[in-house]
Amino acid sequence: QKEVEQDPGPLSVPEGAIVSLNCTYSNSAFQYFMWYRQYSRKGPELLMYTYSSGNKEDGRFTAQVDKSSKYISLFIRDSQPSDSATYLCAMKRGSSASKIIFGSGTRLSIRP
Amino acid sequence: DAGVTQSPTHLIKTRGQQVTLRCSPKSGHDTVSWYQQALGQGPQFIFQYYEEEERQRGNFPDRFSGHQFPNYSSELNVNALLLGDSALYLCASSSPGTSQETQYFGPGTRLLVL
């Protein structure tokens, strides 16, 4: 069993829709949770960074962490074609932990 | 402010050869991590360098080695290349001790082993 599970998609939604992306994990030691966006043939770009359980909002993006269920989510409101990319969830044990564990990524396509 | 840079962007090698990939961290960052990303997969941690020493290592064989220079730039070396080493190799830089030690990624080097 992988430490982090993420539905690979692809997920296709119309422009303006609300997108929900999710990951589950098995290691309760994870404390820091991240979402990265990766465009084709580019490196991952950090979108959201959260500590422990709770919600964090940044513009059209909201990240949610439920440690009791070992479940994290990323919501994208008013989705745009430019949001089309692969979204990677990621997590690590401590603030100075070296190793980030990534999900396999969800391919998202926003239809104009 | 230049972000993380990597060279070369693309590389083609044959089985058994050796390869060296290079990374320059973001300005102000002193720690470099290397990841391997196979097609359709998330990045996998190879190792991290800080103060010119390997600080932590993932589940990769000894064929994968690295180095960090006094200016914080880093190299990843892979010996005896296998077909399965074909992947995007990502470098990420960070700065321990800041309130939020996030890792910023470069564009990657795409390695194809034939």
Side-chain angles (χ1 to χ4, degrees), chain B:
Chain B
D1 175 28
V4 180
T5 59
Q6 292 185 244
S7 63
T9 55
H10 296 81
L11 206 51
I12 299 175
K13 292 286 188 177
T14 56
R15 281 179 297 175
Q17 285 189 311
Q18 178 265 343
V19 68
T20 297
L21 311 181
R22 296 176 177 82
C23 171
S24 291
K26 185 177 167 66
S27 177
H29 287 181
D30 55 11
T31 301
V32 172
S33 303
W34 287 93
Y35 292 80
Q36 180 195 66
Q37 186 177 23
L39 197 62
Q41 300 297 316
Q44 283 198 295
F45 178 78
I46 302 175
F47 43 54
Q48 184 181 82
Y49 277 85
Y50 173 67
E51 292 188 341
E52 302 180 50
E53 290 194 358
E54 184 180 291
R55 189 162 84 164
Q56 189 175 357
R57 188 179 184 93
N59 295 326
F60 279 80
D62 292 344
R63 298 187 298 107
F64 289 78
S65 63
H67 186 77
Q68 186 178 35
F69 299 94
N71 67 353
Y72 309 124
S73 67
S74 177
E75 288 182 349
L76 164 65
N77 300 293
V78 187
N79 294 322
L81 284 167
L82 303 174
L83 296 180
D85 294 332
S86 296
L88 180 68
Y89 287 85
L90 295 162
C91 168
S93 73
S94 58
S95 184
T98 56
S99 60
Q100 180 172 296
E101 189 199 331
T102 53
Q103 296 185 10
Y104 294 87
F105 285 83
T109 293
R110 191 165 296 278
L111 172 65
L112 178 61
V113 182
L114 300 176

Side-chain angles (χ1 to χ4, degrees), chain A residues 5-49:
Chain A
E5 298 279 358
Q6 184 174 10
D7 187 336
L11 179 63
S12 179
V13 301
E15 183 176 355
I18 296 174
V19 176
S20 172
L21 304 169
N22 311 293
C23 286
T24 59
Y25 63 95
S26 58
N27 190 340
S28 58
F30 288 136
Q31 299 275 4
Y32 292 82
F33 304 89
M34 294 147 283
W35 286 93
Y36 285 83
R37 177 174 62 195
Q38 186 172 26
Y39 291 112
S40 181
R41 302 190 174 277
K42 301 289 186 183
E45 170 196 10
L46 181 66
L47 278 179
M48 302 289 282
Y49 182 100

Side-chain angles (χ1 to χ4, degrees), chain A residues 8-13 19-21 76 79-81 83-87 105-110:
Chain A
L11 179 63
S12 179
V13 301
V19 176
S20 172
L21 304 169
I76 307 174
S79 56
Q80 305 294 311
D83 295 328
S84 297
T86 295
Y87 288 79
T106 299
R107 285 181 57 193
L108 173 66
S109 176
I110 309 298

